[in-house]
Amino acid sequence: MFEKVREIVHPLNHRHVTFTIPKLLRAYLRRKRKLGKLLLRSAWQAWREYLRERLQLRDGLSSGIFCMQTHGSLFNFHPHVHALVLPGLVREGCFHELKGCSATAVAVRFRAGFLTALKNQEVLDSDQIEGLMSWKNNSRFNVHVGKPIDGADGETIERLARYMSRDALCIERIHYHAGEQTVTVDAGKSQACSRNWPVPEFFALVAAHVPCRFESLITYNGVYSSSHRGQCRRENREEQIEEIVVEAVPVISGRQKPSSWAKWILKIYETDPLTCSECGEPMRITAFITD
């Protein structure tokens, strides 16, 4: 994912947005993992509709890479969504950026969309939804919008992609106590706290974090979707986003070229196959041997 994200992201301002749901609804997603796709879809639609309403561009195309995580810092089941998004819409080659984003307004749309999806799946009934809607603070549906991120900063983009798709647990944070038949999970270096789990409950949690067959935890939407990028390739063109419109910032340029086999080898094995091992100079092709 990391290399792909770094390649397809346009050199525009982006935002890191987090979508969370109340504890009451987390149990439904644990029992029925297929509901996770509704969580991803509701987050994407809430962001897209918010931008379209604020910018008054119903046919504008946004962009977002949405990733669902099922774990909290202490390995508890905590489904939520991390997203790397464009804070604006692309229309006819122009990027309309929304300078200020209201997390509360996005949360209202996120709550309405996800609860409606759960009702359509017969997970919740009207009375349960009415009870949830009566809660304060958007019924504990929260959205956090981070500061602008420069899409041209490849290191930052890749680091965020790693954080968004990180594993549920790190081996170094697990401590098994044979005598007590328990497992202790540390929150990490930044937090001096931990939690103890009985072994059967720990393995039940491990199973809860394992995706179902064919389940996708990452979706690419809008300009970053495979269909949009495939259309650009079929038309043999690079997408240009170059005009500055109302509430926009200066941005330009198309996609980066895809990684070569040499770049992948360098990234994985830390050895550049196109650099001479004796003199350290770049190598070049001098001839091809064919049949």
Side-chain angles (χ1 to χ4, degrees):
M1 170 190 176
F2 322 122
E3 194 70 23
K4 178 180 179 181
V5 170
R6 191 167 180 170
E7 290 169 6
I8 68 175
V9 164
H10 287 286
L12 311 170
N13 278 337
H14 286 69
R15 298 271 187 153
H16 176 205
V17 185
T18 308
F19 300 81
T20 58
I21 61 176
K23 289 183 178 180
L24 179 66
L25 299 181
R26 297 175 191 173
Y28 293 105
L29 275 76
R30 182 173 179 178
R31 292 196 296 267
K32 193 174 182 181
R33 281 296 300 263
K34 291 184 178 181
L35 297 177
K37 64 181 181 181
L38 301 181
L39 184 63
L40 283 167
R41 187 185 307 160
S42 300
W44 159 242
Q45 291 177 345
W47 181 254
R48 180 188 61 188
E49 292 306 313
Y50 168 73
L51 291 176
R52 287 181 173 178
E53 183 176 327
R54 285 293 308 276
L55 293 172
Q56 296 297 306
L57 295 172
R58 299 306 303 176
D59 57 343
L61 193 62
S62 185
S63 298
I65 301 171
F66 287 69
C67 181
M68 189 180 76
Q69 289 185 4
T70 58
H71 53 90
S73 59
L74 291 173
F75 200 49
N76 53 308
F77 191 77
H78 175 29
H80 57 287
V81 174
H82 288 278
L84 176 65
V85 298
L86 277 177
L89 300 173
V90 176
R91 182 186 180 192
E92 298 177 354
C94 305
F95 178 55
H96 304 247
E97 183 182 8
L98 186 63
K99 286 294 185 181
C101 298
S102 170
T104 302
V106 179
V108 170
R109 290 165 176 78
F110 174 52
R111 176 185 63 174
F114 189 55
L115 291 179
T116 299
L118 292 179
K119 182 179 180 181
N120 293 338
Q121 292 291 319
E122 298 183 350
V123 176
L124 299 177
D125 56 32
S126 300
D127 292 337
Q128 290 173 307
I129 291 178
E130 185 178 348
L132 275 170
M133 295 290 282
S134 65
W135 292 6
K136 296 180 180 180
N137 301 323
N138 284 326
S139 307
R140 304 291 176 147
F141 282 83
N142 293 318
V143 173
H144 177 264
V145 181
K147 296 180 180 179
I149 303 171
D150 184 4
D153 185 351
E155 293 297 328
T156 300
I157 293 296
E158 184 171 343
R159 186 164 56 249
L160 178 57
R162 290 180 182 277
Y163 173 77
M164 288 168 54
S165 59
R166 70 188 187 278
D167 292 331
L169 198 59
C170 178
I171 296 297
E172 287 76 12
R173 293 169 50 197
I174 305 174
H175 308 283
Y176 173 57
H177 310 287
E180 303 174 0
Q181 290 293 298
T182 60
V183 176
T184 299
V185 178
D186 296 329
K189 296 180 180 179
S190 60
Q191 301 182 39
C193 59
S194 61
R195 184 166 181 178
N196 235 16
W197 303 96
V199 171
E201 189 172 349
F202 176 78
F203 279 109
L205 275 173
V206 171
H209 294 305
V210 176
C212 297
R213 190 180 183 186
F214 305 124
E215 180 183 3
S216 177
L217 300 180
I218 304 173
T219 60
Y220 299 83
N221 303 285
V223 174
Y224 295 152
S225 66
S226 57
S227 59
H228 183 85
R229 291 183 288 114
Q231 181 181 357
C232 292
R233 286 194 297 268
R234 288 191 298 272
E235 295 175 357
N236 195 25
R237 64 180 175 87
E238 288 190 353
E239 187 171 26
Q240 300 292 328
I241 304 175
E242 47 187 316
E243 272 191 47
I244 306 171
V245 198
V246 181
E247 297 189 46
V249 294
V251 291
I252 303 305
S253 217
R255 302 173 301 158
Q256 301 174 9
K257 295 182 179 179
S259 299
S260 66
W261 58 273
K263 185 176 180 181
W264 281 108
I265 292 176
L266 175 62
K267 189 170 187 66
I268 296 172
Y269 298 105
E270 299 183 353
T271 299
D272 188 353
L274 296 181
T275 300
C276 180
S277 59
E278 295 184 3
C279 66
E281 293 296 321
M283 295 189 293
R284 61 186 178 86
I285 298 173
T286 57
F288 289 97
I289 300 176
T290 66
D291 292 337

